[in-house]
Amino acid sequence: MSIDERLANTNFPLPAIREVNLSKHPSGISLGLGELKNFRVDKKIFESLQNNWSNGGTSYTQNAGLPGLRKAIAQKQHEQDGFDYDETNVVVTIGVQNAIYTSIRTLQKLGAKRVLIPSIHFGIYKKIPADFGLEVLCYPLNDDFSINLQALEELILPDDIIILNSPSNPTGKVFTSDELKSLAKLLEQKLTEGYVISDEIYGALVYEGTAFESFSKYFERTITADGVSKSGAVAGLRVGWLVTRNQQLAKALTSNNATIISTPPTVNQFAALPIVKGETNATIQDYNQVLKNNRDKVESFLKGMDIPFNSPRGSFYIFPKLSSIVGEDTKDFCLETASKENGVVVIPGIAFGAKEHIRISLATDEMDEALNRLEEAINQYS
Ligand SMILES: Cc1ncc(COP(=O)(O)O)c(C=O)c1O
């Protein structure tokens, strides 16, 4: 078969999240987005971009990214886990998606064969390794979205890649210190050659309970993936990074990523600097206040409708189980509700491997009206 014949017979689908968002009626409200879209962007970010535009901002940087940004990331990671880092431990990437892609590809080149991901997961955790021909296995979660450690223990081989995501998209679960410690204890025994990729992109967005902790605090063989897309409300800047205690591994990650991206966009790295340095923390606290208020509104709505959910305390999603009302797979409900006039977009759980659920984004300034519409849609559907 020729390339063109294969092309005609092959479907290269967009992610399921995009599919539902694209079906939105112009009069619809979106609770489907994975970004803080209409949130105020801290002006320090723009100032840094503007001030550095003609100060090297349009030149290439080193393959691993701007040394100044990498130093700031090293310092941030030190504050999170207590270990010493410098710029040679850090690789700047084009968003966390690129960071995860390169981590998996690099570990595959170093011999990894399998990737273990949470049974409820952000879609690329499955898609990226599957594209590389790696075996992907899901480790089960408990009903409260914590990791079922016993089941995980039975799955692990010493050289696996294990992906963690706390705070989680889509569940909003933030692991406690005790949960992180128990997991690290298990991995010390079982994951003697492999690595954890810890996706901590929502780390700054914890709006309740104990503060976020980086998994690398407890487990040395961790590659931390983080970025500014969520914490800065600047998903379009496309700045992320990887940090590892192993400088040799950082070099390998840099080399592999250079093949894909050459360098991350320079002026965008300058723009990310104030976020990484903590200069926009007051703005992030404002975001967290909005997210918590919206979380509370959605929870009272769900209680009123008798829809089961776990209370999230980080990221900006809630992941209730809607199957008892709209049927085992929520996708048709979501597509119908998104596409009708005065509808609302919520994402079907199938996009995250859990078809009975829907993901509701808390990142909106129209929550009251959105919930009115959701109530009407559920009542009409059932
Ligand atoms: C858990 C998680 N990881 C990674 C990403 C991708 O982030 P970025 O925009 O930095 O590529 C997202 C975006 O939605 C996400 O939810």
Side-chain angles (χ1 to χ4, degrees), residues 34 94-98 100 122 124-125 165 167-169 199 201-202 227-230 235 238-240 317 359:
I94 300 191
V96 171
Q97 176 135 347
N98 170 223
I100 293 171
F122 180 49
I124 62 160
Y125 298 165
N165 177 215
S168 157
N169 173 12
D199 180 349
I201 190 168
Y202 295 97
V228 299
S229 293
K230 316 293 176 177
R238 314 302 307 130
V239 177
Y317 314 103
R359 188 190 76 175

Side-chain angles (χ1 to χ4, degrees), residues 171-173 207-208 295 299 309-313 318:
T171 69
K173 165 83 181 158
Y207 47 77
E208 191 173 82
R295 192 276 316 257
E299 289 195 350
F309 66 93
N310 289 322
S311 187
R313 63 182 192 91
I318 184 165

Side-chain angles (χ1 to χ4, degrees), residues 183-204:
L183 177 61
K185 198 168 157 207
L186 168 67
L187 298 187
E188 289 295 347
Q189 288 160 8
K190 291 280 177 180
L191 193 73
T192 47
E193 299 164 34
Y195 274 86
V196 165
I197 300 171
S198 184
D199 180 349
E200 302 181 356
I201 190 168
Y202 295 97

Side-chain angles (χ1 to χ4, degrees), residues 62-130:
Q62 293 179 8
N63 295 116
L66 275 178
L69 178 61
R70 282 153 56 215
K71 273 190 195 135
I73 293 166
Q75 175 61 24
K76 176 176 156 69
Q77 190 62 30
H78 168 73
E79 283 160 19
Q80 282 181 348
D81 67 16
F83 291 95
D84 287 335
Y85 299 92
D86 63 29
E87 69 266 33
T88 59
N89 298 93
V90 179
V91 185
V92 181
T93 58
I94 300 191
V96 171
Q97 176 135 347
N98 170 223
I100 293 171
Y101 188 99
T102 287
S103 307
I104 294 175
R105 183 71 182 117
T106 304
L107 292 170
Q108 180 186 29
K109 285 191 181 175
L110 294 167
K113 304 228 162 5
R114 312 192 325 164
V115 182
L116 273 49
I117 66 172
S119 56
I120 301 177
H121 49 260
F122 180 49
I124 62 160
Y125 298 165
K126 188 175 239 174
K127 178 98 174 66
I128 291 173

